[in-house]
Amino acid sequence: MSTFHLQIVTPDRMAYDGQAERVILRTVNGDVAILARHIDYAAPLGIGEARVTDENGNTRVGVCNSGLLSVENGVCRVLATTFEWVEDIDRERAAQAQQKAEERLKTLERGDEQFAIAEAKLKRAIARLRATD
């Protein structure tokens, strides 16, 4: 299968920099798959699972939390707020974050800025837990 250059970058590190056959990411409008020779494209990222299939056909799973996906001249860049490979996720910590966010949401009203923050934390915790199942 054909490959393309993929970079997954966060503010603190380069999570991936190499050839890939495919990357599947959650955008704010749903999942999208990028393959070699994809047209130039840009989309805001949502919170969800990411799957990267490398040039050898091996697939790694991660969790992406917001950012931007861009494909330009055959190079795919994922500029993520946070990105974690599934093997780096602490399930217990993610479960605690889910519980804390659910409790926080009970005390807030929809439309409140703090409600949106707590809701995003809940979505991130759930995505982290689902990816590790």
Side-chain angles (χ1 to χ4, degrees):
M1 186 174 233
S2 297
T3 63
F4 59 95
H5 191 85
L6 170 65
Q7 292 180 323
I8 301 174
V9 182
T10 70
D12 0 4
R13 67 186 178 101
M14 176 79 70
Y16 188 91
D17 188 10
Q19 292 299 113
E21 289 182 358
R22 174 180 55 232
V23 61
I24 300 172
L25 294 161
R26 173 78 36 94
T27 70
V28 295
N29 293 316
D31 290 350
V32 65
I34 304 296
L35 302 169
R37 295 183 293 282
H38 198 286
I39 63 170
D40 287 357
Y41 175 79
L45 293 170
I47 299 171
E49 195 172 285
R51 293 186 171 273
V52 176
T53 303
D54 69 19
E55 61 194 328
N56 300 315
N58 302 312
T59 300
R60 282 182 82 185
V61 177
V63 176
C64 186
N65 178 26
S66 306
L68 178 70
L69 164 66
S70 74
V71 180
E72 187 176 9
N73 298 322
V75 176
C76 179
R77 289 185 182 87
V78 176
L79 308 171
T81 304
T82 63
F83 187 94
E84 296 173 279
W85 293 110
V86 73
E87 60 267 19
D88 298 328
I89 294 173
D90 181 339
R91 273 193 65 79
E92 185 176 321
R93 186 170 164 232
Q96 290 171 353
Q98 178 183 3
Q99 183 178 9
K100 185 176 178 181
E102 288 171 342
E103 290 171 6
R104 181 78 172 123
L105 283 170
K106 290 176 187 175
T107 68
L108 299 169
E109 291 190 31
R110 187 172 292 279
D112 181 358
E113 181 181 333
Q114 293 302 311
F115 186 92
I117 292 168
E119 190 173 47
K121 287 181 179 184
L122 176 61
K123 287 179 183 178
R124 180 172 180 233
I126 290 170
R128 293 172 80 218
L129 290 168
R130 283 187 182 155
T132 58
D133 282 341

